[in-house]
Amino acid sequence: MGIDEVFKVLSKGIMVSINSQKYLNEAKFLMIDENYDELSEILKKLGFTLVGENGYFFISKKEKLGDTEVSAFMNTHKNIFIAIALLKQLYPYVDRGDIIKQTDFTHLLKQKDDVSFEQKLEYLFNTKDLLDAVEKFFDLLTKHNLFELKNSDSKDEYLVLNSLEYYTKIVQSVVEG
């Protein structure tokens, strides 16, 4: 594993987590201070910043974002923010390293009997079918490297990755205003 391989992954906008099996090598590489510092220096020359906190890493713009850029970021990621807000309503104490089962999530949703919750899922995924919406929910969080399928044989158990914390902080800051 070298800087070029790690750069290829991060430059795609992927956030890597130390507890991810898929990006474990990249995260381990960046956990070494010399490697992190070297890539950070290269990215600074390109006008970017390497962000590494609490076991997750990603590339960010170097300069402070303006209102237009923040608005564009929020709009682009709004489905993720809504999904995380919904996740936190069902699992308020969910944290990195936790395992969430899709079947348990569906069961909790059915028990909650909250029409607004189901409407939000319907809005997010354009389906009234609860099982389809839940599957799309897990697919969304997996696609954005916030969840990772624990076992490829069973599409039920998902590992919560360290990168969830990044989006959770943003959701909390918006809620707290």
Side-chain angles (χ1 to χ4, degrees):
M1 178 67 40
I3 284 184
D4 53 339
E5 291 103 349
V6 173
F7 177 76
K8 283 179 188 176
V9 171
L10 294 176
S11 67
K12 294 177 186 174
I14 295 172
M15 188 179 298
V16 299
S17 295
I18 193 68
N19 64 339
S20 166
Q21 289 303 306
K22 187 174 182 179
Y23 296 112
L24 178 62
N25 292 333
E26 291 83 351
K28 279 185 175 180
F29 180 86
L30 291 169
M31 292 294 289
I32 299 169
D33 289 339
E34 294 81 22
N35 296 338
Y36 181 91
D37 293 342
E38 185 177 352
L39 182 56
S40 184
E41 285 302 314
I42 292 168
L43 289 170
K44 279 182 188 174
K45 292 176 184 173
L46 297 172
F48 294 95
T49 301
L50 178 60
V51 178
E53 27 182 77
N54 298 323
Y56 62 89
F57 304 90
F58 63 95
I59 295 175
S60 178
K61 284 190 172 186
K62 189 175 183 179
E63 70 278 353
K64 187 176 178 183
L65 297 177
D67 289 344
T68 306
E69 291 169 311
V70 170
S71 181
F73 174 83
M74 296 299 277
N75 194 41
T76 302
H77 293 86
K78 71 180 177 189
N79 287 354
I80 297 169
F81 295 130
I82 294 169
I84 290 170
L86 294 173
L87 175 68
K88 285 298 213 170
Q89 285 179 343
L90 284 178
Y91 294 94
Y93 302 108
V94 68
D95 201 3
R96 58 187 170 182
D98 289 347
I99 302 294
I100 295 183
K101 290 186 175 187
Q102 194 168 335
T103 50
D104 292 347
F105 184 88
T106 305
H107 181 72
L108 279 174
L109 270 176
K110 288 178 180 177
Q111 279 186 329
K112 195 161 184 64
D113 196 31
D114 185 345
V115 175
S116 69
F117 207 93
E118 290 179 24
Q119 287 173 336
K120 290 173 189 168
L121 279 174
E122 182 181 333
Y123 164 78
L124 265 179
F125 304 112
N126 199 28
T127 181
K128 290 184 182 237
D129 182 327
L130 181 63
L131 295 179
D132 187 36
V134 168
E135 187 170 321
K136 288 179 178 182
F137 176 90
F138 278 80
D139 287 346
L140 174 70
L141 295 179
T142 301
K143 176 184 169 199
H144 285 47
N145 299 304
L146 305 173
F147 280 7
E148 190 171 86
L149 192 58
K150 182 98 168 108
N151 181 349
S152 59
D153 296 335
S154 164
K155 196 174 178 184
D156 189 41
E157 290 186 342
Y158 290 80
L159 175 66
V160 177
L161 299 178
N162 290 31
S163 52
L164 180 74
E165 182 180 316
Y166 172 75
Y167 287 99
T168 301
K169 285 179 185 178
I170 294 171
V171 170
Q172 287 173 339
S173 71
V174 169
V175 169
E176 293 168 1

